[in-house]
């Protein structure tokens, strides 16, 4: 039954893409089954704060944008609207795994997912999305759940190897934050004992924020001195990406300005947190100086060089024949 109160669901389209909205008294969450199951709205209603970053280029349906030179990076970036993507079975740069060529950030973020209603009551609403990869024999599911009266989105993901072979994968939650929520001076909190691992090279040469790794949050800065990664810098600061590890079994982080977000996840499945910082210094393709965003992305595998690199360094997720990995994640507004 259609409701305008408590927990409720809405089905519709955004720019021609299928959309479903989960809403309660405190949150409104909009998901695009028609484009990777992307989360394009995570709005805290009492403060009118949307936590997801919306990229300047806006939302584009991949089916309507086929012009331009063939490019395994552009396949993701040209249709990247910001928000929150599911990344599987490869993270970062194009890569080849056992004869399968995988584009930037793998397969599933650009595919349409099936969507079905799991629960629709005033107490809670939930939808299940599912998809099969096309180049590797995997099936992914994720259930989004919102309970009445809470400011927390609950997600349960399942990755299944549908073959009789032992396979590898990278699995990530590409969660990025931007204005108006994100601002200079915003703070990032992590558990004690987390270690910073820098990327091997600058992602926007020649500048970067971090010269060497060490204990979170203060590490050697590029060019001398130190940089405090727990404080979001002013626009124009150098672009960089680092990898955070040492979470134990339960990973969490908090990012806050006037209000905040706490994300909790199973770090036995995703033991790394990628911290991507694109703060306006990249003036070429694809950002053109217009991005001010920080990604805090739980991941299985590193670095952002694709699945082959994660297999080579031993950080890739391993799925035995017909095995299913289950991931639980919770994103809660702190107000």
């Amino acid at each position: 039954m259609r409701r305008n109160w408590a927990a409720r669901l809405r089905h519709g389209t955004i720019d021609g893409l299928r959309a479903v909205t989960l809403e309660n008294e405190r949150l409104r969450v909009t998901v695009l089954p028609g484009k990777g199951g992307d989360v394009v709205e995570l709005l805290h209603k009492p403060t009118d704060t949307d936590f997801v970053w919306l990229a300047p280029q806006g939302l584009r349906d991949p089916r309507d944008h086929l012009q331009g030179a063939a490019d395994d990076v552009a396949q993701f970036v040209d249709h990247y609207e910001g928000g929150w993507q599911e990344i599987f079975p490869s993270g970062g740069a194009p890569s080849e795994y056992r004869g399968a060529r995988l584009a930037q950030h793998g397969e599933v973020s650009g595919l349409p997912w099936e969507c079905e209603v799991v629960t629709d009551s005033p107490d809670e609403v939930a939808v299940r999305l599912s998809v099969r990869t096309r180049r590797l024999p995997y099936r992914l599911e994720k259930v989004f759940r919102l309970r009445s009266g809470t400011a927390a989105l609950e997600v349960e993901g399942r990755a299944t190897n549908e073959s009789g072979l032992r396979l590898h994968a990278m699995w990530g939650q590409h969660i990025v934050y931007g204005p108006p929520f994100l601002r200079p001076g915003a703070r990032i909190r992590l558990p004690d004992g987390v270690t910073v691992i820098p990327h091997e090279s600058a992602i926007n040469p020649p500048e970067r924020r971090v010269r060497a790794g060490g204990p979170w949050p203060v590490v050697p800065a590029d060019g001398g001195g130190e940089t405090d990664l727990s404080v979001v810098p002013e626009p124009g600061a150098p672009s960089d990406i680092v990898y955070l590890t040492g979470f134990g079994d339960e990973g969490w982080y908090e990012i806050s300005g006037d209000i905040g977000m706490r994300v909790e996840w199973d770090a036995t499945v995703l033991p790394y947190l990628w911290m991507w910082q694109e703060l306006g210094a990249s003036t070429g393709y694809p950002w053109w100086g217009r991005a001010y965003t920080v990604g805090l992305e739980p991941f299985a595998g590193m670095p952002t060089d694709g699945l082959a690199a994660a297999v080579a360094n031993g950080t890739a997720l391993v799925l035995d024949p017909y095995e299913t990995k289950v991931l639980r994640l919770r994103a809660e507004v702190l107000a």
Side-chain angles (χ1 to χ4, degrees):
M1 180 177 114
R2 183 180 176 90
R3 292 180 303 283
N4 293 323
W5 64 90
R8 63 262 201 193
L9 287 172
R10 293 287 184 271
H11 299 271
T13 59
I14 299 177
D15 293 337
L17 290 162
R18 183 182 179 187
V20 59
T21 297
L22 301 84
E23 186 172 1
N24 67 7
E25 304 89 340
R26 303 179 68 186
L27 284 185
R28 185 169 69 235
V29 181
T30 299
V31 178
L32 300 180
K35 182 184 179 294
D38 290 6
V39 177
V40 294
E41 179 185 40
L42 204 165
L43 181 79
H44 182 243
K45 293 164 63 174
T47 59
D48 196 31
T49 302
D50 191 3
F51 284 86
V52 302
W53 178 58
L54 301 178
Q57 66 189 26
L59 179 62
R60 298 169 173 173
D61 186 339
R63 297 169 299 182
D64 297 335
H65 294 268
L66 303 178
Q67 296 81 16
D71 184 330
D72 282 346
V73 172
Q75 183 172 317
F76 177 87
V77 174
D78 284 0
H79 311 114
Y80 175 58
E81 77 284 1
W84 171 355
Q85 285 77 35
E86 192 87 15
I87 303 299
F88 192 93
S90 182
S95 182
E96 185 170 316
Y97 176 71
R98 297 174 69 167
R101 180 71 182 176
L102 301 170
Q104 177 84 11
H105 282 324
E107 297 193 70
V108 302
S109 63
L111 295 177
W113 293 50
E114 297 294 324
C115 180
E116 61 179 321
V117 175
V118 175
T119 305
D120 185 2
S121 76
D123 293 328
E124 69 176 69
V125 289
V127 294
R128 177 184 293 110
L129 279 63
S130 60
V131 70
R132 282 187 167 89
T133 55
R134 296 179 176 178
R135 298 196 173 182
L136 296 178
Y138 285 116
R139 174 181 170 85
L140 259 65
E141 297 181 2
K142 54 183 173 183
V143 174
F144 291 99
R145 188 178 309 274
L146 187 60
R147 304 180 194 273
S148 177
T150 72
L153 175 66
E154 301 171 38
V155 183
E156 180 178 289
R158 304 174 70 87
T160 300
N161 176 2
E162 295 191 315
S163 80
L165 303 174
R166 189 171 186 261
L167 297 176
H168 297 86
M170 298 174 82
W171 191 5
Q173 304 298 313
H174 194 277
I175 308 171
V176 299
Y177 302 92
F181 162 68
L182 188 75
R183 57 173 175 76
R187 294 276 179 168
I188 300 166
R189 291 186 58 234
L190 299 178
D192 293 337
V194 168
T195 299
V196 179
I197 303 172
H199 192 62
E200 184 176 2
S201 59
I203 62 172
N204 180 41
E207 291 187 310
R208 60 184 309 175
R209 289 189 70 198
V210 176
R211 176 171 54 84
W216 169 271
V218 178
V219 294
D222 192 55
E226 294 179 326
T227 187
D228 185 349
L229 291 173
S230 70
V231 181
V232 176
E234 296 286 336
S239 310
D240 213 338
I241 187 167
V242 299
Y243 312 98
L244 309 170
T245 190
F247 290 94
D249 292 344
E250 297 296 326
W252 65 265
Y253 67 77
E254 294 177 0
I255 178 169
S256 60
D258 296 328
I259 65 171
M261 173 70 73
R262 180 181 174 96
V263 176
E264 303 171 348
W265 72 95
D266 184 352
T268 65
V269 181
L270 309 184
Y272 298 95
L273 182 67
W274 294 14
M275 182 179 178
W276 171 49
Q277 307 140 81
E278 182 46 69
L279 304 165
S282 298
T283 56
Y285 174 82
W287 308 121
W288 307 111
R290 299 186 298 170
Y292 183 77
T293 185
V294 170
L296 293 170
E297 310 166 25
F299 247 93
M302 58 152 287
T304 182
D305 292 335
L307 180 55
V311 172
N313 67 23
T315 64
L317 193 67
V318 176
L319 288 95
D320 289 325
Y322 308 107
E323 181 183 6
T324 296
K325 298 283 190 186
V326 178
L327 171 68
R328 290 179 177 85
L329 182 145
R330 189 173 189 268
E332 181 175 12
V333 177
L334 305 175

